Every structure is written in C-alpha cells, then in structure tokens.
Amino acid sequence: MKIKEIIFSPLFMTFKEPYHWYGRIDYGATVILITVVTDQGLVGHGESTSSFPAEGSLGLLGNVVQPLIGQSVFDIDRHVFRSRHLGLINDTIRMPNLLLTGLEMALWDIVGQAAGQPLYRLWGGAARDFVDYFGFVQGDTAEELSDSAKKLAEGGFRVIYFKVGRGEKSDPLNVRAVREAIGPDLKLRLDANESWDVFTAKNMIKRLAEHDIEFVEQPVSCRSLSALREVKESSPIPIAVDQGGYSLEEIFEICAQKAADVLVLSPHETGGALNFKKAAAIGEAAKIPVCLHGQFTTGLTDLFHHHLGLTLPNLTDGNQIMNQLYAEDLLEVPGLELSEGRLGLPGGAGIGARLDGDVIARSQENYVKWTGGRKKNVDFIYKYK
Ligand SMILES: [Mg+2]
C-alpha cells in the first residue's frame, strides 16, 4: 500500500479561557492537521504542533514530504529518519520532531486500520487498563486558581497540576491557595517552564516545599543539564525534566547524570511513537518513571498519546491531556471524557478517531482570521501529490 497524497491544513484552535503561564497568555494554538491518503483508499490523520503563523512549519514539512509520495506506508521508521535528515533540519531537531510526528501519526493510523487493530496493540499491547491524567488548573489570580483547583478535585482528579514561575510573590500565594483548595490528600505538581535561574529555583523550591509538592517540572533552562542537576541535588522536592529532554541522546544524558527524578516526555518532542518508546525504555533501564507530556494540540493527539501511554510499564499517574482546554475539539468520536481522571482502552482501528468536519472548517477560518485576514495570500490547504 503506497502513499498517494499528503494534505496539510493549518488550524487555529481557540482556548475556552486564556492560558496563563510563564511570560505568556495564549488564546489558542496553531496545529497542522496532516491527512495521508493511500492508493488503496485508506485515510490516516496526524497532527503537528506549529509555529504561528504556520508558513515556516509548512515550508519545512513541504520540503520533506515530496519524496514520500509513492512509497510504502509501512516503512514508517525509514520515512521519518530520512525526512529528519533532509536539508539542515537534523541540526535543529526540536522543531522537526514536533512537525514530523504529525506525519508519523497519520502513517500509524493507516497501518492500524490496515491491521484492524488499535495502535496500542501494535506497540506491544496494553501494560495497563487505563491512563491516569492530572487536573490542569487554569486562571491567573490565586482566587481563580483555587476555584479551578477545587472543581478539579471535586471532579475526581487525583493529581492537580499548575504553572508557577509567575513571580516571587505570586508563586507562594498561589501554591498555598491551591493546596488549601484541594486538601492534604491529593498530589500537587508544579511546572516552572524554565522560568527560574538556579539561585531562584533553590530559594523558591525551599519556600514551596511546605505544601507537599510531588515534583517540580523543568525549574531551570532546558539548555543546561548541569543547572538542572544542581537544582535536583539540593532540592527537597523531586525534580522532573520536560523541555530538556527531546532527543534520545538528551534522555540518555539526563538518566546517566541523574539530573532528574521524572522524565516528562512527549511523543511529539521525541519525534514520534517509535522514538518515544525508545526514550521511555532508557528511563525504564535507569529506574526513572515517565509522565506523558501534552502539546498545544487537540484530542486527536491526546488519543494518539493515550495509545502510547497504555503500553508503558514505567508510566506515572497524573499524565497530561489538553483537549479539554479548547472551545471545541477536532474529535467527533470517541469522546475523551475522563472518569475520575482516567481513560480506559480505546476501540476502533489505528488511532480510532473520527474528526468533526465542521470544527475543522471553523478552525481553518480562525487560522485565516488570526493571521490577519490575509485570506487572499494564505493557501490554507497545502496539498502535495
Ligand atoms: Mg512542562
């Protein structure tokens, strides 16, 4: 079965409410929906995270997909490897990984459909019956954050997560308010998104430790493994790496140097499902658990990540899921409603997703609107044959 056509559609997905984190307020996210059509009529969907506007991402993807037309859909690893080594993109691995994973997703979707099996069964089968997800606290002020956290706790989430790095005064106030809102029994996890230097991280972690924090994610820059290790060595709270771990080499060094207690790994950041499994295996060998990291992507990606999470023996509880943040989701079927923070085994073949055409059309229009109404200049369906 051969690849006949690859279609890129940049979409702008609007958040339900402004997304506050270190240094930024986001109102939505750009994704690139990738559709692969085969010569036998099977259609697979994938999704890439994107720059905004998406022209740079689309240019890079367009450069690598042309040689794939006419190739077998089953040679996934070779296609991704060759795509990563085209031009200069192997020297800047992060963005290409985020983009190429959408292509890999679509190919896996087709392979799963051809096999008549959900993807988790093609990746070794389910190591667990469900994946546990965290409640993602939204808001800006301590009052908004504690209200949001209380609702999540009442909704049955066992792990509560929110962003710190919002200021020396705000962080202790916010963490205290959220801990008081959720009570003493639930796990509370913080993500600093690289916002601190080593000095600030040491001081802030010391101040926040009284609130029984499960772990702090990426307290310092992803560019310095020694800084992360220095923070971990002095921290009374376990430390997780997130943005510091994309490539297999980075994951290996983190484990070998004992620079983190938890690996927060995204299949998009590692460059696809196959590299994600390899990265998780490095963590497994080092006795370090893996937590699924979400992207600014929709339920389509959440479902793909979910298949992978089901296969991991060293997966944590409180993984990240993102579709609930959007005003509307691309997924029409299945619904991803969690039961007490958990999602079980998906049915169907491949990713098992049916997308909502109306939402796709509205998201395309949103993309045009958010790129300044440049409809005449924006060919928002990119097609390669
Ligand atoms: Mg993070």
Side-chain angles (χ1 to χ4, degrees):
M1 184 162 44
K2 293 194 166 44
I3 299 169
K4 183 181 167 195
E5 191 174 4
I6 300 174
I7 303 165
F8 301 145
S9 305
L11 310 176
F12 188 83
M13 306 301 300
T14 308
F15 288 135
K16 280 181 195 162
E17 57 183 300
Y19 181 100
H20 293 264
W21 59 309
Y22 166 59
R24 288 222 336 234
I25 304 170
D26 292 356
Y27 298 91
T30 310
V31 303
I32 299 174
L33 178 65
I34 299 181
T35 304
V36 175
V37 182
T38 74
D39 61 352
Q40 295 181 21
L42 287 183
V43 177
H45 293 295
E47 184 180 42
S48 297
T49 59
S50 173
S51 56
F52 176 79
E55 275 78 357
S57 304
L58 290 162
L60 198 150
L61 276 170
N63 185 46
V64 301
V65 299
Q66 198 67 57
L68 302 184
I69 306 297
Q71 300 293 314
S72 167
V73 296
F74 296 107
D75 296 331
I76 293 177
D77 209 12
R78 187 165 66 177
H79 296 330
V80 173
F81 179 83
R82 285 184 174 174
S83 297
R84 196 179 284 126
H85 285 73
L86 274 176
L88 294 174
I89 65 173
N90 194 43
D91 297 331
T92 52
I93 199 65
R94 296 188 168 221
M95 194 65 183
N97 275 1
L98 294 170
L99 293 170
L100 291 174
T101 300
L103 180 66
E104 201 222 33
M105 274 177 76
L107 294 174
W108 275 117
D109 192 21
I110 291 168
V111 171
Q113 291 175 51
Q117 294 292 330
L119 285 182
Y120 70 86
R121 287 197 182 142
L122 272 59
W123 295 329
R128 58 194 65 251
D129 294 330
F130 59 85
V131 173
D132 185 86
Y133 291 96
F134 62 60
F136 192 165
V137 176
Q138 298 297 305
D140 187 23
T141 66
E143 190 179 2
E144 289 168 356
L145 292 164
S146 60
D147 284 350
S148 171
K150 193 161 187 291
K151 285 185 190 132
L152 293 166
E154 288 168 355
F157 287 98
R158 296 164 176 80
V159 181
I160 302 295
Y161 161 105
F162 79 103
K163 304 286 191 187
V164 291
R166 306 187 198 210
E168 203 171 321
K169 288 186 178 170
S170 299
D171 284 338
L173 289 174
N174 291 345
V175 174
R176 179 179 297 280
V178 169
R179 172 50 85 191
E180 285 175 359
I182 65 173
D185 297 333
L186 302 188
K187 293 180 181 175
L188 179 55
R189 197 178 288 174
L190 307 177
D191 190 349
N193 283 107
E194 312 178 59
S195 59
W196 299 326
D197 55 30
V198 171
F199 174 78
T200 308
K202 286 179 175 177
N203 277 308
M204 191 56 80
I205 287 170
K206 194 165 61 179
R207 292 174 67 185
L208 300 179
E210 64 172 306
H211 301 297
D212 188 17
I213 308 302
E214 187 197 16
F215 62 74
V216 176
E217 206 169 301
Q218 199 69 54
V220 292
S221 169
C222 69
R223 304 288 176 201
S224 175
L225 192 56
S226 65
L228 187 70
R229 191 178 65 238
E230 185 181 347
V231 171
K232 175 181 171 271
E233 285 173 351
S234 72
S235 174
I237 302 173
I239 298 296
V241 67
D242 177 359
Q243 285 79 13
Y246 272 54
S247 68
L248 296 180
E249 291 84 353
E250 287 168 344
I251 301 297
F252 173 78
E253 283 300 326
I254 290 160
C255 293
Q257 297 188 35
K258 301 186 189 306
D261 299 292
V262 180
L263 301 172
V264 178
L265 286 184
S266 159
H268 275 69
E269 290 167 350
T270 56
L274 294 170
N275 264 6
F276 178 83
K277 291 278 282 182
K278 292 176 190 172
I282 295 170
E284 185 182 351
K287 310 303 176 201
I288 297 179
V290 167
C291 179
L292 270 173
H293 181 223
Q295 304 292 150
F296 282 142
T297 43
T298 74
L300 177 62
T301 287
D302 286 336
L303 185 55
F304 182 75
H305 287 188
H306 181 69
H307 280 280
L308 271 168
L310 286 167
T311 70
L312 288 200
N314 55 329
L315 189 73
T316 62
D317 58 4
N319 295 277
Q320 188 168 22
I321 194 165
M322 295 295 276
N323 71 92
Q324 77 284 0
L325 300 179
Y326 296 101
E328 50 185 1
D329 191 17
L330 288 190
L331 273 191
E332 186 171 281
V333 174
L336 296 181
E337 293 81 19
L338 306 179
S339 174
E340 298 197 324
R342 292 175 172 175
L343 190 62
L345 302 177
I351 297 175
R354 189 169 77 225
L355 303 184
D356 187 323
D358 292 337
V359 175
I360 291 172
R362 282 194 289 275
S363 305
Q364 286 172 337
E365 286 301 316
N366 277 339
Y367 177 76
V368 174
K369 187 180 92 180
W370 280 84
T371 47
R374 294 179 293 136
K375 191 164 184 176
K376 286 179 185 165
N377 300 323
V378 178
D379 182 12
F380 61 85
I381 300 290
Y382 288 74
K383 190 178 279 194
Y384 293 87
K385 280 189 173 180

